[in-house]
Amino acid sequence: MPENNYPKLHNATWPGIVGKGSDSEPIIPFDTLLEKTAAAEVDGVKFDGVDIGLFDEHLGEYLNSEDGASRLADKVSGYNLEIGSLVANVWAGSALGSKESRDVFVEQVRKACVFGQKLREAGVRHGGVVRIDSAVSPEVWSADPTANTKQIAETFRIACDVAADFGEKLAAEGEICWGGMHSWKAMLDTLEAVDRPNMGFQADMSHTFLYLLGYNRPEDRILPADFQWSDRAALEEGLKTMTAKLRPWTFDFHVAQNDGTVHGTGSHDKTGRHCLATDPNGKLDITHDAGYWLRDENGVLTKAFRHICWDGCMFPNSVMGNQQTWNDILAALVKVRKAHGWYQA
């Protein structure tokens, strides 16, 4: 495919860590994920890049040395890949809680921005966002929704001001397991309260799918309580309603599949289950339904994202170790780009 085909196609590396570890399956090494990503190919098309989590388990040797960003750039570019969005390790702190915890949260955003700038200077990063969440549970948030949303928004504002100094955008990923982000309405309230031009939303097709069903906040469900999966028309109307609210805020986009259930492994709380692109139980028409995020209400391409990414968090290691998994994921992304992409001269 021509180099000027957009959006670029990225794979996420943090699924090698999320839901893994001493309380689950072993962490999958960063190098293994790069190898699987680089080896994937569908009709001559390959992945353009990776989105990465800034965690010591994968990148400690790079994050904690002066020349780390340069060495990481050399490694990733050696696989003919670029780097896009970064996940800040905000769980070292929290957007809600003590001043110390909130200060740590902001400091992790600052570190991500510094590292992201170095990757740009090294010529391996040409776009993307810094991904955050509230790092607090819906249960803690629900003790005082108004006050807690206000404090989360204040922490996010401080983080936005830090990010702005580096020319970075922050994107809060809408997952049902994060307080103040656990429903479409709670997420919208939080974004509006932050009120910063560089504060936006990261839409993951699997996680946001659970917004329709009101998991962890039934009063905000969009689909009726008696909804049947056979009613595709109602499902599409629900997707239209949700994306109309959140699309204008969306800075970053994950292509994914969901079977209508939640899932958690290791220490990770239950959230929207990421399914294989080929899962027969998947409820999304991936190619068609991605269009609700990639096109406006009139069907016009927004061209809001330089790249799109596949996030396969909490896939079993046996699945992630199979090269066919990556080929199937790439095939799904290629179909999305063919339906909703563009050529930029």
Side-chain angles (χ1 to χ4, degrees):
M1 298 292 285
E3 289 187 4
N4 290 342
N5 251 28
Y6 288 87
K8 299 300 182 183
L9 308 181
H10 283 211
N11 187 30
T13 63
W14 57 82
I17 296 176
V18 175
K20 312 296 181 183
S22 59
D23 50 2
S24 181
E25 295 186 301
I27 288 171
I28 300 174
F30 182 69
D31 285 4
T32 300
L33 295 167
L34 287 181
E35 291 164 6
K36 295 292 185 185
T37 300
E41 185 170 344
V42 176
D43 297 331
V45 180
K46 299 178 74 68
F47 279 105
D48 297 298
V50 288
D51 288 2
I52 61 176
L54 302 183
F55 312 129
D56 282 344
E57 295 91 337
H58 268 174
L59 302 176
E61 65 173 294
Y62 304 105
L63 298 173
N64 301 311
S65 67
E66 283 298 318
D67 65 345
S70 176
R71 289 190 294 113
L72 179 62
D74 288 343
K75 173 184 281 291
V76 174
S77 61
Y79 286 97
N80 292 317
L81 298 169
E82 62 181 34
I83 294 174
S85 295
L86 313 175
V87 180
N89 187 21
V90 293
W91 308 281
S94 176
L96 177 64
S98 68
K99 182 181 184 303
E100 290 75 16
S101 184
R102 287 180 279 125
D103 286 347
V104 169
F105 182 103
V106 173
E107 176 60 14
Q108 289 297 324
V109 170
R110 188 193 69 79
K111 287 182 177 180
C113 293
V114 169
F115 199 73
Q117 183 179 57
K118 290 179 178 178
L119 292 174
R120 288 198 301 272
E121 292 169 351
V124 76
R125 184 168 180 249
H126 309 290
V129 301
V130 173
R131 182 266 195 205
I132 63 173
D133 58 54
S134 62
V136 67
S137 71
E139 290 75 22
V140 170
W141 173 90
S142 64
D144 191 339
T146 300
N148 289 338
T149 294
K150 182 178 180 180
Q151 188 175 88
I152 290 170
E154 175 60 23
T155 306
F156 281 9
R157 275 196 297 276
I158 297 169
C160 282
D161 292 345
V162 169
D165 289 339
F166 295 88
E168 292 283 357
K169 292 182 177 181
L170 302 184
E173 185 179 35
E175 286 196 61
I176 60 168
C177 60
W178 302 123
M181 305 169 58
H182 55 294
S183 79
W184 72 268
K185 183 64 168 60
M187 186 72 257
L188 196 59
D189 288 346
T190 298
L191 291 168
E192 290 175 345
V194 176
D195 191 27
R196 287 288 191 274
N198 63 332
M199 179 77 247
F201 183 63
Q202 184 186 72
D204 178 289
M205 289 178 68
S206 176
H207 297 320
T208 56
F209 192 61
L210 273 295
Y211 281 175
L212 299 177
L213 303 175
Y215 277 93
N216 287 344
R217 194 159 172 81
E219 59 267 42
D220 290 346
R221 73 175 293 149
I222 293 174
L223 293 172
D226 60 353
F227 169 75
Q228 300 295 314
W229 290 116
S230 59
D231 192 348
R232 174 69 190 179
L235 178 57
E236 290 193 6
E237 285 303 310
L239 288 167
K240 289 177 184 177
T241 298
M242 177 179 66
T243 56
K245 297 291 187 182
L246 291 171
R247 186 194 315 108
W249 294 90
T250 305
F251 288 167
D252 206 46
F253 181 59
H254 290 173
V255 178
Q257 180 59 284
N258 185 276
D259 62 3
T261 69
V262 296
H263 181 66
T265 59
S267 59
H268 197 290
D269 291 337
K270 288 183 178 179
T271 187
R273 177 188 287 272
H274 281 119
C275 295
L276 288 170
T278 55
D279 192 323
N281 295 315
K283 306 302 184 189
L284 287 161
D285 178 335
I286 295 175
T287 304
H288 178 273
D289 297 344
Y292 293 122
W293 294 102
L294 298 170
R295 296 177 180 271
D296 67 17
E297 61 276 7
N298 297 314
V300 178
L301 286 172
T302 66
K303 300 184 181 181
F305 319 114
R306 184 183 183 277
H307 76 275
I308 57 178
C309 181
W310 181 278
D311 181 346
C313 278
M314 292 181 276
F315 281 179
N317 284 6
S318 59
V319 170
M320 296 182 75
N322 182 355
Q323 185 62 51
Q324 188 59 45
T325 297
W326 306 115
N327 291 347
D328 291 341
I329 287 168
L330 178 58
L333 287 169
V334 169
K335 288 178 181 178
V336 170
R337 181 164 68 182
K338 283 182 177 179
H340 309 293
W342 66 95
Y343 179 82
Q344 185 172 303

